[in-house]
Amino acid sequence: MSDNSRHITLGATPVDWRQVVEIARHKVSLSLTTQAWDRIITARKTVEEIASSATPYYGINTGLGALCEVVLEPSELQRLSYHTLMSHACGIGEPLRKEQVRAIICCAVINYSHGYSGISPFVVEGMMRLLNEEVTPIVPSKGSVGYLTHMAHIGLALIGHGEVEYLGQRMPAKQALDTIGMAPLTLGPKDGLSLVNGTPAMTGLACLTLADTAHLAAWADIIGAMSFEALGGQQDALLAEVTSLKRHGGVQHTGDNLRRLLQGSPRLAHCRGQHLQDALSLRSMPQVHGACRDQFDHAARQIDNELHSATDNPLVFTGKDGYRVVSQANPHGASVAMACDLLAIAVCEWSSISERRTYRLVTPQTNHLPPFLTAEAGVKSGMMIAQYSAASLVADNKRLAQPAVTDNFMTSGLQEDHLSLGESAALKLDQALDNAFQILAIEYLLASQAFDLIDEQAFAPGTELAWKTLRETIPFYEEEHALHLDMYAAYNLLRDESRQSPFITLAPHLNPGKR
């Protein structure tokens, strides 16, 4: 069940993407402030007042999309909300992960808490119960061009339709609602539209990718430092007086991380001056990793701004002089989509430069290590083919780095003729991140194998910690079992968030999500 010892109350101060991750991934319970509930209720009273009006108000007493000119009778508005969910639940393919659905629900609650949707407070309460009691709708991952499909499948669960995951089992939504003592909701005016509208789906997915990107950024510096040391890099390229002349925050942080991780390395002191200049995959780590970190910072600002935004259509404005209902385009997800697309490029860069270092670790012409990191080259191939696997995944990430937001289609008659593809952008970023962790896991294995094969074995405390951390669970590779088993074990190590704590003590800038 949810972690009742940890609780987040939203609605008084601006929300942060990290709070969404805490609720979605770590199952921290959620509540709203009295002020947030007051905003939700005020907007709802306005919707109920105008629902019976003969004046058309989009989505409140009219049809949707290209049917916006069709004015409905008050008696039809419940049916409109019901049929909206049924017709919009068009998802395809494998379900989203549980944490992804939870992040979407959390962001939907945040969107409604701004008080401009006019959705029923009973719907908001229902969504919060799904979160806090861990009833997770089954939501197909594909089929969205912006925001409708994923949200519709979540809405189905609230009215007792579709399937959910509860207590580790997949079951009909009605069964799970009965178990927690929650009656299926009857939707009223605008409820169906508000459930499928806005940018919570892409924003929730993006919050999780921010957490994973920050985690990846830290490991990229740690593992890159190991490769730099194993290959006898020239530390002058990492000097503070050098990186300080590159006026980007990410470059400063990566340079600081590498210097701290490599500080006190007898091996690098021994290798000093042995060659004039290293390959770019080694000496440009501050500049490349740093540029990727800057894109993370940009994306985090964009996602936080989206969380602070009201993204329903129409928006309901209520004031002393009455109300206004405004049709507009705040649900357009261009900002989130572009942030995810740009971050996918950064993830590809982290992946690409890691694979280049991996290549140098296994290639006899580029180092002074045993060929392919085995003492028995010839009868054994060592780590040769692991680099092939990394190259394949980098090629995949190059394709995933192609932007989604620049694509476009015509939908809903002539109404929706410019799409963000924001959910597609977030989902391909999620896939790229998983590939990137696999790529870094391979470099981690190879750099550790190189450390084992270096005679003096006198390394910096930071990189030695990384080496020993891997060796606690994965022994030196002697080709007595399939190499993919070690690759998978290293990947799982990198995915374990608890493993970074000792390194962040050494280099406080390592994880940009913890600043």
Side-chain angles (χ1 to χ4, degrees):
M1 298 298 291
S2 296
D3 185 352
N4 292 320
S5 66
R6 300 171 64 206
H7 186 84
I8 291 175
T9 301
L10 300 177
T13 57
V15 70
D16 180 278
W17 64 266
R18 298 169 185 84
Q19 293 173 302
V20 176
V21 174
E22 286 293 298
I23 293 164
R25 180 169 285 172
H26 303 296
K27 302 175 185 176
V28 174
S29 61
L30 167 67
S31 65
L32 294 180
T33 62
T34 301
Q35 301 96 307
W37 283 117
D38 288 344
R39 293 192 294 266
I40 292 168
I41 292 166
T42 298
R44 183 60 181 181
K45 288 179 178 177
T46 299
V47 166
E48 291 174 344
E49 181 179 343
I50 66 178
S52 59
S53 171
T55 304
Y57 292 96
Y58 174 70
I60 298 176
N61 60 0
T62 73
L64 307 181
L67 302 176
C68 61
E69 302 298 332
V70 179
V71 180
L72 303 173
E73 294 296 325
S75 61
E76 296 179 299
L77 299 184
Q78 279 189 8
R79 291 182 59 212
L80 171 62
S81 284
Y82 174 86
H83 291 303
T84 296
L85 295 187
M86 294 300 174
S87 63
H88 286 55
C90 292
I92 299 165
E94 292 297 311
L96 295 175
R97 298 191 303 275
K98 183 177 179 178
E99 65 174 16
Q100 291 176 313
V101 178
R102 289 176 57 82
I104 293 170
I105 296 172
C106 180
C107 288
V109 171
I110 293 167
N111 187 35
Y112 305 142
S113 75
H114 297 311
Y116 294 96
S117 291
I119 196 169
S120 166
F122 297 110
V123 176
V124 182
E125 287 175 351
M127 299 190 86
M128 291 171 63
R129 286 200 69 180
L130 295 183
L131 279 176
N132 291 337
E133 305 210 37
E134 294 188 54
V135 176
T136 307
I138 302 299
V139 180
S141 58
K142 297 179 182 179
S144 174
V145 297
Y147 46 82
L148 300 171
T149 305
H150 292 143
M151 292 296 299
H153 282 275
I154 290 170
L156 288 181
L158 292 172
I159 63 173
H161 286 262
E163 291 187 303
V164 301
E165 181 186 334
Y166 180 59
L167 299 178
Q169 295 183 335
R170 185 165 172 164
M171 64 181 68
K174 179 64 165 58
Q175 180 183 341
L177 295 184
D178 288 344
T179 303
I180 67 172
M182 175 179 164
L185 298 181
T186 298
L187 303 180
K190 200 178 183 286
D191 287 339
L193 178 58
S194 289
L195 276 169
V196 303
N197 221 335
T199 62
M202 64 182 77
T203 305
L205 295 170
C207 288
L208 294 172
T209 65
L210 286 174
D212 291 341
T213 303
H215 198 61
L216 182 81
W219 280 120
D221 287 358
I222 295 165
I223 296 166
M226 289 183 71
S227 295
F228 187 95
E229 192 169 22
L231 293 165
Q234 301 301 297
Q235 282 184 288
D236 283 358
L238 308 181
L239 290 171
E241 52 263 47
V242 172
T243 57
S244 67
L245 296 177
K246 192 80 165 176
R247 313 294 188 184
H248 301 278
V251 176
Q252 310 308 315
H253 287 154
T254 301
D256 182 72
N257 293 337
L258 293 172
R259 287 189 294 272
R260 289 173 182 267
L261 290 165
L262 294 167
Q263 186 175 3
S265 167
R267 171 165 174 79
L268 290 182
H270 174 74
C271 294
R272 184 179 179 87
Q274 288 187 357
H275 53 274
L276 183 63
Q277 178 173 272
D278 293 309
L280 275 169
S281 59
L282 297 177
R283 61 186 160 97
S284 73
M285 275 192 284
Q287 294 76 19
V288 176
H289 290 197
C292 296
R293 284 171 173 265
D294 288 338
Q295 307 324 304
F296 169 84
D297 289 342
H298 168 76
R301 287 192 299 271
Q302 294 295 93
I303 302 310
D304 276 348
N305 285 339
E306 197 71 20
L307 289 169
H308 305 160
S309 303
T311 65
D312 212 333
N313 180 42
L315 293 172
V316 178
F317 294 85
T318 305
K320 296 178 182 178
D321 300 326
Y323 58 76
R324 287 187 301 148
V325 178
V326 182
S327 294
Q328 33 61 53
N330 277 15
H332 198 291
S335 296
V336 176
M338 288 186 193
C340 290
D341 279 340
L342 192 57
L343 206 49
I345 294 172
V347 169
C348 184
E349 280 292 276
W350 269 308
S351 305
S352 177
I353 197 170
S354 171
E355 184 278 330
R356 291 291 79 199
R357 294 190 297 264
T358 291
Y359 177 82
R360 302 194 78 80
L361 285 166
V362 295
T363 302
Q365 296 89 338
T366 63
N367 62 53
H368 298 290
L369 300 166
F372 305 107
L373 300 178
T374 177
E376 299 179 72
V379 69
K380 293 184 177 180
S381 298
M383 299 290 198
M384 179 195 299
I385 307 303
Q387 183 262 328
Y388 287 43
S389 300
S392 173
L393 292 173
V394 171
D396 287 344
N397 273 4
K398 288 178 180 177
R399 289 185 284 271
L400 291 168
Q402 296 300 310
V405 73
T406 54
D407 212 337
N408 198 35
F409 296 92
M410 180 78 75
T411 61
S412 190
L414 299 176
Q415 280 289 312
E416 298 179 1
D417 61 349
H418 191 274
L419 310 174
S420 73
L421 281 298
E423 288 170 54
S424 298
L427 288 170
K428 72 180 180 65
L429 170 58
D430 178 75
Q431 186 180 348
L433 280 160
D434 195 67
N435 289 341
F437 276 107
Q438 298 276 9
I439 293 162
L440 279 172
I442 291 170
E443 184 186 0
Y444 195 8
L445 279 178
L446 271 60
S448 297
Q449 189 87 348
F451 273 33
D452 284 299
L453 294 168
I454 292 170
D455 291 336
E456 62 268 26
Q457 293 192 343
F459 306 113
T463 52
E464 185 170 14
L465 174 63
W467 176 35
K468 290 182 176 179
T469 297
L470 184 106
R471 286 289 174 248
E472 287 173 2
T473 55
I474 305 171
F476 179 82
Y477 187 62
E478 300 194 70
E479 299 190 34
E480 298 300 330
H481 59 270
L483 183 51
H484 79 95
L485 298 173
D486 288 1
M487 291 161 60
Y488 186 64
Y491 164 83
N492 284 332
L493 189 158
L494 296 188
R495 282 295 206 176
D496 183 349
E497 294 181 3
S498 67
R499 295 289 194 156
Q500 281 188 2
S501 297
F503 298 99
I504 293 172
T505 301
L506 288 171
H509 291 303
L510 268 174
N511 189 313
K514 297 187 181 299
R515 290 206 299 272

